Amino acid sequence: LACAGEPGACVALPPAFVAPDVAGKRLECKLCPRASSFGCAAITIAPRGGWVCPQHVCHGCGARARDNDADASGGGKRRARAKTATVLLRCATCSKAFCDECSGGAEFEALEGHPGEWEANGFYLPAESYEYVRC
């Protein structure tokens, strides 16, 4: 997700299954201001209901934040509800987030808010679901 969805900004090669004409298309997270390209997100079509960036799911166990009720199945089949994390530690410098269990007691630099301009532009993540950190 290093490209932030900016045309021509991808630094990683997209997976072989993502065609070059699709790889550069912009994706926007439906829950926050994060953006990516189809290539960086390794998808070929936009998910029905919108794309949710990886920072709303624990990188270790897949637990979702409480505000993320997106259907992870990607299709019409019903699957068991994913585990819900009490709080996700959301890194401000990379695309990962971890629940308390999976952080393993690691020391993260706690941040008051997102270091970008999210709050200045009126966007706030629910404080009861997320904490900003720098890993």
Side-chain angles (χ1 to χ4, degrees):
L1 301 177
C3 70
E6 296 300 323
C10 289
V11 292
L13 291 174
F17 63 84
V18 181
D21 61 324
V22 174
K25 289 183 181 178
R26 183 179 170 89
L27 274 173
E28 293 180 2
C29 180
K30 71 178 191 175
L31 300 175
C32 74
R34 271 196 180 271
S36 182
S37 67
F38 278 59
C40 285
I43 62 173
T44 57
I45 59 171
R48 193 176 345 177
W51 177 70
V52 176
C53 78
Q55 286 203 325
H56 298 279
V57 179
C58 175
H59 183 72
C61 69
R64 296 178 181 183
R66 285 182 275 200
D67 71 334
N68 180 3
D69 62 355
D71 177 16
S73 68
K77 296 180 183 177
R78 289 189 170 209
R79 294 193 180 179
R81 208 68 161 124
K83 174 181 156 186
T84 302
T86 304
V87 171
L88 280 180
L89 304 174
R90 185 177 167 134
C91 183
T93 55
C94 75
S95 63
K96 294 181 179 154
F98 293 93
C99 67
D100 278 337
E101 275 181 41
C102 292
S103 70
E107 294 292 322
F108 294 109
E109 177 188 352
L111 304 174
E112 288 295 316
H114 192 277
E117 306 227 350
W118 290 9
E119 285 89 1
N121 291 325
F123 178 81
Y124 297 89
L125 283 168
E128 66 277 0
S129 298
Y130 299 95
E131 288 181 22
Y132 288 112
V133 298
R134 187 171 284 123
C135 61

